[in-house]
Amino acid sequence: MVQFSSPISVTRGGILSHPGVLQLLFSRCGSAIGYQMQSVAIGWQIYALTHRALSLGLVGLAQFLPMVALIFVAGHTADRFDRRRIAAICQTVEALGAASLAAGSVLHMLTPALIYAVVIVLGAARAFEGPCLQAMLPSLVPPPLFPRLAALASSLFQTVTIIGPSIGGLLYGLGASLPYEVCAGFFALAALCITFVPPGVRRPREPVSLRAVFGGIVFIRARPQILGAISLDLFAVLLGGATALLPVYASDILHAGPFALGCLRAAPAVGALAISLLLTRHPIGRHAGRLMFGAVALFGIATIVFGLSRSLPVSIAALTVLGAADVVSVVVRSSLVQLQTPDHMRGRVSAVNMLFIGTSNQLGEFESGTLAAFIGAVPTVVAGGVGTLVVALLWMGLFPTLRKLDRLDTAPKD
């Protein structure tokens, strides 16, 4: 039976009392909500300018390509230099990018090419920002508290995911420049907050070389638990990409309107937020590996239920369970990866983790959309859910040490 440790206060004497935790969480949230609002505004504006669905795909590509090109260099940079300073510089660049989009909107000077150019710069900044923010988090609290901190960070992110796009859309309706102006403020606030995080321990600077830059891959390959956890998430998300087909389900299968589509889109984040808050109060104690595999299997089952459902309430419930199961897997994986990784390697390992997550999300949407065009939405979603179950069973056999993982805070670290 899965055990959870007893609740511990997140305030006085708890995780938020540790120096720098609150400032780092504020910085992460400010950057995340700015990104969410900005993404909605850019999507609306680029489509208003071109009236082509392809333009929306190109925006995603413009964000994704810089990450692929720079992520390993970004990870090595995060391990060589002051992570606070790198993150602050990146968030300042993001603030300037949002400000330039606001100015272009006010002056009616924005063109699709200019928007793509700004998005590429923003994608490059996020490629360097992400590994730094991820690598800083575990150094602020003792290992036994980190799973709870990871759950709290996840709950805050899910909250931002729910409210950010709504605020961005509302502000865009009041004026095209307004969401960019607010985003610039959030990014600037994030950059200010990160400067108040205490400096981490001094790390040895490895000389720049291919081995050092790609050290994260070498490190992960030598540790079956980390490799198994990251690759399990990659294939589970890649196969279980039901959310990419939500417009098809809302319109053609459930025969509902745009409000129902909004409910379907919000359902996974609501489930994820609920479980994140639960894990913040009652962190995972024992049998973490079994719990993660169980969560991935539940993710697959919920995907199948959603794929076969013809009822809007059942579909919303299935997506809520899907989001809740995904967060359990995310908390276990992120805690395992960060706690088993020495501080001087966390930037590079976080970079590989980000690449896996970004690839699975992007390719998962592409795979679902392409396959649905050939065999239909329902067979695609159901097949994805079945595939997720198969992957979970295979990984339990391929990575027995991951399956037998007990406590996250006592996992070995080289």
Side-chain angles (χ1 to χ4, degrees), residues 39-77:
S39 296
V40 170
I42 288 175
W44 275 104
Q45 193 161 36
I46 197 73
Y47 190 74
L49 290 171
T50 64
H51 299 287
R52 293 188 305 166
L54 176 62
S55 301
L56 299 175
L58 292 177
V59 170
L61 188 65
Q63 296 180 75
F64 181 66
L65 288 180
M67 184 187 73
V68 174
L70 298 172
I71 196 66
F72 293 109
V73 176
H76 188 239
T77 302

Side-chain angles (χ1 to χ4, degrees), residues 71-294:
I71 196 66
F72 293 109
V73 176
H76 188 239
T77 302
D79 285 336
R80 279 180 57 87
F81 301 102
D82 188 341
R83 292 165 181 162
R84 301 172 307 160
R85 188 170 300 174
I86 297 170
I89 291 172
C90 293
Q91 290 162 348
T92 301
V93 170
E94 291 170 289
L96 293 174
S100 67
L101 291 173
S105 299
V106 170
L107 299 174
H108 303 287
M109 295 176 56
L110 281 186
T111 64
L114 183 58
I115 293 176
Y116 293 140
V118 174
V119 168
I120 289 173
V121 173
L122 295 175
R126 292 191 68 81
F128 281 87
E129 177 191 9
C132 292
L133 294 181
Q134 287 191 24
M136 290 171 65
L137 202 59
S139 63
L140 298 178
V141 296
L145 290 180
F146 182 72
R148 297 180 59 251
L149 180 56
L152 177 59
S154 178
S155 67
L156 293 173
F157 177 77
Q158 297 301 333
T159 302
V160 166
T161 301
I162 294 171
I163 67 175
S166 302
I167 297 175
L170 177 63
L171 292 177
Y172 190 87
L174 299 176
S177 67
L178 189 56
Y180 298 129
E181 294 165 0
V182 175
C183 288
F186 274 114
F187 287 130
L189 178 63
L192 177 64
C193 289
I194 202 74
T195 61
F196 291 99
V197 177
V201 297
R202 294 184 64 86
R203 301 179 302 276
R205 291 188 180 181
E206 296 183 44
V208 179
S209 65
L210 286 178
R211 179 177 176 82
V213 170
F214 293 97
I217 294 179
V218 176
F219 182 89
I220 289 172
R221 285 186 61 188
R223 288 153 182 82
Q225 286 187 345
I226 297 180
L227 176 61
I230 293 179
S231 58
L232 175 64
D233 180 76
L234 168 66
F235 286 104
V237 175
L238 186 63
L239 293 171
T243 54
L245 300 177
L246 290 184
V248 178
Y249 266 81
S251 175
D252 301 339
I253 297 173
L254 299 174
H255 304 290
F259 177 75
L261 175 60
C263 293
L264 292 172
R265 286 194 177 277
V270 171
L273 175 60
I275 295 300
S276 296
L277 293 174
L278 176 65
L279 292 178
T280 302
R281 288 288 297 169
H282 301 277
I284 297 167
R286 304 289 304 277
H287 311 303
R290 284 160 48 187
L291 181 59
M292 184 179 70
F293 279 109

Side-chain angles (χ1 to χ4, degrees), residues 232 293 296-297 386-398 403:
L232 175 64
F293 279 109
V296 173
V386 172
T388 300
L389 290 174
V390 171
V391 167
L393 291 174
L394 286 175
W395 259 238
M396 288 178 69
L398 291 173
R403 184 185 72 245

